[in-house]
């Protein structure tokens, strides 16, 4: 059972993410989208995929140094990268649904991260006082 979890988390999930990204990229190429956000979309996929992998690793596998590195990237570097993507995509967000979705995903990441951290801080303070 452990080997099945490892293969699912560390092999199947990343391959599925890459295939999904390639499908969307091919859709953009088929629809001849003006300046498609391919690189930006890849960064968004890698970031949200990293969130999924860290979550799956922590809850269903064994935490490791690689998981910790991924967590620190997601906590400290990814918000800056995603805000930079949002800034870059702001003027292009109305070119296509792909641009809009990539822009929206890049804006939402820091907001969701700040919300989660805020909830955890309030939660910790609530239970530490009792």
């Amino acid at each position: 059972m452990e080997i099945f979890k490892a293969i699912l988390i560390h092999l199947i999930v990343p391959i599925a993410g890459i295939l999904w990204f390639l499908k969307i990229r091919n859709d953009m190429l088929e629809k001849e989208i003006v300046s498609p956000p391919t690189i930006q979309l890849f960064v968004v996929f890698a970031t949200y995929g990293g969130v999924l992998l860290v979550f799956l690793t922590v809850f269903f596998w064994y935490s490791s140094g690689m998981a910790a590195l991924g967590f620190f990237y997601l906590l400290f570097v990814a918000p800056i990268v995603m805000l930079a993507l949002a800034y870059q995509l702001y003027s292009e967000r109305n070119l296509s649904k792909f641009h809009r979705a990539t822009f929206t995903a890049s804006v939402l990441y820091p907001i969701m991260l700040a919300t989660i951290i805020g909830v955890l801080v309030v939660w910790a303070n609530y239970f530490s006082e009792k």
Side-chain angles (χ1 to χ4, degrees):
M1 185 62 168
E2 294 297 312
I3 192 72
F4 175 73
K5 284 194 237 177
I7 290 171
L8 181 66
I9 293 171
H10 301 293
L11 189 64
I12 303 297
V13 171
I15 288 173
I18 291 169
L19 291 175
W20 190 17
F21 164 76
L22 291 174
K23 182 194 176 315
I24 294 173
R25 188 203 60 171
N26 290 338
D27 287 349
M28 287 191 294
L29 294 176
E30 284 177 9
K31 294 179 181 181
E32 298 178 0
I33 301 298
V34 177
S35 66
T38 306
I39 294 171
Q40 296 93 331
L41 185 63
F42 182 79
V43 172
V44 167
F45 259 81
T47 301
Y48 281 98
V51 170
L52 179 60
L53 286 178
V54 167
F55 176 80
L56 291 173
T57 299
V58 167
F59 287 105
F60 300 108
W61 190 241
Y62 306 104
S63 193
S64 65
M66 288 302 290
L69 287 175
F71 176 74
F72 286 118
Y73 164 77
L74 294 170
L75 190 60
F76 297 113
V77 179
I80 297 166
V81 170
M82 297 297 262
L83 285 174
L85 284 179
Y87 179 77
Q88 179 186 14
L89 288 165
Y90 180 76
S91 61
E92 300 175 355
R93 71 188 185 283
N94 294 322
L95 290 178
S96 72
K97 66 180 183 179
F98 301 104
H99 287 86
R100 190 175 313 105
T102 306
F103 170 75
T104 303
S106 61
V107 167
L108 286 178
Y109 183 81
I111 293 170
M112 289 187 307
L113 183 64
T115 303
I116 291 168
I117 290 171
V119 167
L120 290 174
V121 167
V122 169
W123 183 279
N125 286 334
Y126 176 77
F127 284 109
S128 68
E129 294 174 0
K130 292 194 174 208

